[in-house]
Each structure stands twice: as C-alpha cells, then as structure tokens.
Amino acid sequence: MAQKPNSRSAPVSRDTDRSQAAILKAARDEFSEHGFAGGRVDRIAERAGVNKRLIYYYFGNKDDLFLSVLENAYADIRQAEQGLHLDALEPIEALRTLVTFTWHYFLAHPEFLSLLASENLSRASHLKQSGKIREMHSPLVRLLDGLLERGRADGLFRAGIDPVQLYISIASLGFFYLANNDTLSVIFGRDLRATEALDERLSHMTDLVVGYAISEPPDGGQPASRRAVRTS
C-alpha cells in the first residue's frame, strides 16, 4: 500500500519561497534607497513583514543578503535579455534592439542602477564572493559574440569587435546619463529627464553603437548597412 504524501511539505515549501521572495524584495528596496552601508536589517524585516531572525536563518548575514539581492538583480536583466531572441533578428536590428532594451530597462529599474553604484563603492567586494556571477553572464557574451559574427559574415559589421567592450559601452552610455542626470541637467541648463530628451538620448546612443559596429566599404562610399541604421 503506497504511503500518503506529507500534505504539510508543499505548503511549507510555498511559505518558504514566499518569505524569501518578500525578504529579497524588501532588501532590494532598502539597499537601493540607502546603499549597503546605510541599509538596516531591522527595516528590511519590517518591510518584509517577517521576524529579523528569519532573515539571518535564510541568508546568513547582511553581506550575504546583499549578495543575494545583487545576484537576483543581475539574473533578472539577463533573463529579460534572453527574451529578446536577438539570435532570430537581423544583425543591425538585433543590435538596435539590445541598445533600446538596455536603455528602457535602466529607466524602468532605477533600483538596479542604485545597487550597482553601492557595490562599486565597496569595490565589488560582495560580487567577488559570488560563485555564479561570471557563469550568469557567459550567455550574454556568447549571444553578443554570435550577433557580431553574423553581422561580420553578412558584410554588415567590421571585424575585431570585442563583445564585452561593446556591451560595456552600451550599458555605460545609458548608466552615466541616468546616474548623473541631476548634475548634467544643471550644468547644461536642460531638463535631461524630459520625454523629448530621453528619446533624443536613445537615438543618439543607437546611432553611436550601430555606427561603430558597421563596416565601411573600401572605396569610402556609403554602405547599405549605413542606410539601415536610419531605416530599420
């Protein structure tokens, strides 16, 4: 006679998942608002509606909790990038799509930028302890490398582009603008958060990235890929 399954195991597992998810969301909000140094476990517990001891039980300590928040933040953007299916798009369109996605992701997730800024203040001391952060980013590098190779094979992109350097440029073009938006707006006397300014920034970034990647004909004429920058 088969033994009846433990009816308590599934609800307990669901409760555990819900508690951990609530803690991670509360910790993300706390750390993005106050940084790692200013973040308080007491406030995280209050935000999550859990006992502080439960946080230590699940995550060990404040440093480990912050690392979990960082890993989750990176996992979210990497998963969203996979959903773009860039490998199914024409190379120039795929590159434009990645630039556009990265820009809009940064706009929609200011907490992501805040977490990265906080971690850079500590010289990536938490990420250095991660056993999976590099593996998490390997698919992105392979995807971008394949995209560049397809463009090169089609005569659209020039050879010798480092996918890591290219992605850093894509990310930094948006990150710097948003992270320094207040000071830049004052310095140049413009509202750089206005909708028109944000649209102009995206157009500028896309032209820079795609313009850098496309190949130039040996005779100095205008390649078809240059026209595609404006029409795709």
Side-chain angles (χ1 to χ4, degrees):
M1 186 175 180
Q3 184 178 4
K4 291 183 179 180
N6 184 348
S7 60
R8 292 176 58 85
S9 60
V12 168
S13 177
R14 287 196 296 270
D15 288 344
T16 298
D17 291 343
R18 281 195 294 266
S19 295
Q20 291 181 344
I23 292 169
L24 285 170
K25 181 180 184 303
R28 180 202 67 191
D29 294 343
E30 175 72 12
F31 290 133
S32 66
E33 291 175 17
H34 302 285
F36 172 74
R40 296 290 179 264
V41 175
D42 286 335
R43 288 198 297 258
I44 293 172
E46 183 178 355
R47 287 174 184 261
V50 301
N51 189 295
K52 183 169 68 172
R53 288 177 296 180
L54 195 61
I55 295 178
Y56 292 121
Y57 175 76
Y58 285 139
F59 296 98
N61 55 45
K62 180 182 171 183
D63 288 275
D64 291 341
L65 175 59
F66 186 64
L67 175 57
S68 294
V69 169
L70 285 173
E71 289 176 338
N72 273 23
Y74 276 114
D76 286 344
I77 188 172
R78 298 291 84 91
Q79 182 177 9
E81 285 165 347
Q82 291 295 318
L84 298 175
H85 302 294
L86 298 179
D87 53 349
L89 301 177
E90 183 271 334
I92 289 179
E93 181 186 358
L95 192 54
R96 292 176 62 89
T97 297
L98 179 59
V99 175
T100 301
F101 163 81
T102 304
W103 173 244
H104 286 305
Y105 193 92
F106 287 175
L107 285 172
H109 297 276
E111 76 283 354
F112 180 62
L113 305 187
S114 296
L115 291 170
L116 299 192
S118 181
E119 178 64 355
N120 275 290
L121 286 174
S122 68
R123 298 184 180 274
S125 61
H126 298 90
L127 285 179
K128 289 174 183 176
Q129 307 305 314
S130 175
K132 56 185 178 182
I133 197 68
R134 289 187 181 179
E135 179 181 350
M136 191 185 301
H137 286 72
S138 295
L140 170 65
V141 177
R142 289 195 298 269
L143 182 66
L144 193 49
D145 192 40
L147 163 61
L148 293 170
E149 176 58 27
R150 286 194 295 117
R152 189 199 64 76
D154 291 345
L156 299 171
F157 295 160
R158 62 187 183 84
I161 300 176
D162 182 341
V164 173
Q165 288 285 4
L166 183 61
Y167 181 78
I168 291 173
S169 294
I170 291 171
S172 63
L173 286 169
F175 191 108
F176 182 89
Y177 182 97
L178 296 174
N180 298 278
N181 195 269
D182 292 327
T183 53
L184 291 172
S185 293
V186 172
I187 290 170
F188 295 110
R190 297 185 184 181
D191 179 5
L192 295 178
R193 272 283 182 176
T195 300
E196 182 179 354
L198 295 177
D199 291 343
E200 183 181 5
R201 182 61 183 175
L202 174 58
S203 177
H204 177 74
M205 292 189 302
T206 304
D207 285 351
L208 279 178
V209 173
V210 176
Y212 164 76
I214 60 176
S215 61
E216 297 289 350
D219 60 1
Q222 187 181 56
S225 56
R226 177 71 73 182
R227 293 194 296 273
V229 172
R230 295 295 183 183
T231 60
S232 60

